[in-house]
Amino acid sequence: MTDEIPTPDTDSPDAVASLLAVLDLAASDARTTEDIFTGVSQAMPLGRVYGGQVLAQSIVAASRTLPEGRAVHSMHGYFLRPGDASTGITFAVDRIHDGRSFSTRRTQAYQEGVPIFSMIASFQDEDPGFEHQATMPEGIPAPEELPDIESQLAGLHPMSKRLFAERPVDLRHVPSPIYLSVEGAHVPEQAVWVRVNRTLPDDPALHRAALAYLSDLTIQESILRAHGIAWQTPGLKVASLDHAMWWHRPGRVDEWLLYVQESPSARGGRGLANGRIYSRDGALLASVAQEVMVRVPDA
């Protein structure tokens, strides 16, 4: 039978409501050896599915198959093909393992029967144990002290359209964004304050999935900043190859989070970026790693 795919209200001025609709997958009653879910995409100016969206949706799909109270703590995924934002996505979840404390799931995201993203994620019951963390950097301006880039860049660049025209999130770059130019030193590091710009429901699983959504925003920029390459550079091509994430502590994505990013290496048309996401009070919520393809004309 044909799965009924819900459609988000893309004409709504509330972009956060549209984001929540994207993360609310529908279960399929198709009889297969896997758990099947369907979802939709946010409208994108260039027509391709935003990687953070399919990351978050894959985690939501896997979470729907777990014992109550078991939360995602790590995921490793590969972006296989560009997704079409105008077409629905099917998520097939394979229940690889359920142990006393941990569960493992594999999620494949498909469009038109072809995989566009593949992920393995691990989930765990809350357990006591040792605790330490890397300290949040000092001396970073508060988000209220930084300019609202949306008011400056909306409509000037396709990236700004994706991030700001519908505005599900708010971003404040330190030292400054690289959409139109790279100001200051060309160094392989930056920090970004980020949050969903409206209060979300209290569901911890929703906040973990939304954190994955946010984790794909701007992490590539430490690679570009190191070489003075702005998003506006003619002919620039950037594509995420893979994505890994580890959730350390619970947190809310509708409160300001500090995303500290750095690139340890770039070579052969690929660059690696690492990130740490802190709550405003300094708790390390998650760590992120992503490798991207970067192609610059004449480089």
Side-chain angles (χ1 to χ4, degrees):
M1 64 177 295
T2 301
D3 296 322
E4 189 70 23
I5 299 176
T7 302
D9 183 6
T10 55
D11 295 326
S12 170
D14 187 346
V16 176
S18 179
L19 169 61
L20 291 173
V22 163
L23 296 181
D24 187 18
L25 304 182
S28 171
D29 59 1
R31 295 184 178 181
T32 71
T33 58
E34 301 169 310
D35 296 275
I36 305 297
F37 303 89
T38 56
V40 294
S41 295
Q42 293 172 295
M44 301 293 288
L46 301 181
R48 291 188 174 185
V49 173
Y50 163 53
Q53 172 204 301
V54 73
L55 280 172
Q57 289 174 313
S58 296
I59 291 163
V60 170
S63 298
R64 297 276 183 89
T65 70
L66 290 163
E68 184 176 354
R70 196 160 287 189
V72 64
H73 72 86
S74 69
M75 63 77 57
H76 301 261
Y78 284 89
F79 298 99
L80 305 176
R81 295 175 177 84
D84 181 351
S86 66
T87 303
I89 306 176
T90 299
F91 299 89
V93 180
D94 183 8
R95 304 189 186 204
I96 296 177
H97 174 71
D98 283 306
R100 289 183 297 176
S101 299
F102 290 87
S103 293
T104 306
R105 296 291 186 268
R106 177 172 51 233
T107 304
Q108 300 264 67
Y110 294 90
Q111 284 189 319
E112 306 296 337
V114 177
I116 63 170
F117 179 73
S118 181
M119 176 195 83
I120 290 183
S122 183
F123 301 76
Q124 181 192 15
D125 293 329
E126 184 68 24
D127 285 332
F130 297 121
E131 184 164 336
H132 72 270
Q133 67 160 71
T135 304
M136 186 169 76
E138 298 180 351
I140 293 179
E144 294 84 3
E145 300 173 13
L146 299 168
D148 181 354
I149 302 304
E150 181 269 341
S151 62
Q152 302 178 31
L153 297 183
L156 295 180
H157 186 262
M159 182 66 71
S160 72
K161 291 180 184 178
R162 185 185 87 182
L163 299 180
F164 304 119
E166 297 181 357
R167 296 215 68 194
V169 300
D170 197 355
L171 295 173
R172 308 290 170 93
H173 281 72
V174 182
S176 60
I178 63 167
Y179 296 111
L180 306 179
S181 62
V182 180
E183 300 176 1
H186 295 171
V187 294
E189 58 188 37
Q190 68 173 19
V192 183
W193 287 102
V194 59
R195 67 175 177 181
V196 173
N197 60 19
R198 181 168 65 75
T199 301
L200 297 183
D202 292 333
D203 180 10
L206 173 64
H207 285 265
R208 293 186 190 97
L211 191 62
Y213 177 96
L214 298 178
S215 73
D216 191 37
L217 289 172
T218 72
I219 190 171
Q220 311 87 357
E221 293 179 354
S222 60
I223 302 166
L224 302 180
R225 186 180 293 277
H227 300 274
I229 303 297
W231 286 109
Q232 184 105 342
T233 302
L236 173 67
K237 294 183 179 180
V238 179
S240 302
L241 300 175
D242 59 12
H243 195 95
M245 185 169 179
W246 298 263
W247 288 256
H248 307 306
R249 294 168 181 84
R252 297 189 64 92
V253 299
D254 49 12
E255 298 175 352
W256 282 115
L257 305 173
L258 183 64
Y259 199 174
V260 180
Q261 303 161 351
E262 63 178 357
S263 174
S265 177
R267 184 181 183 277
R270 292 176 291 110
L272 177 64
N274 297 325
R276 299 190 304 275
I277 303 176
Y278 293 91
S279 65
R280 189 164 187 169
D281 62 3
L284 180 59
L285 305 186
S287 299
V288 182
Q290 183 178 107
E291 190 173 45
V292 302
M293 179 205 74
V294 182
R295 293 178 179 166
V296 183
D298 302 324

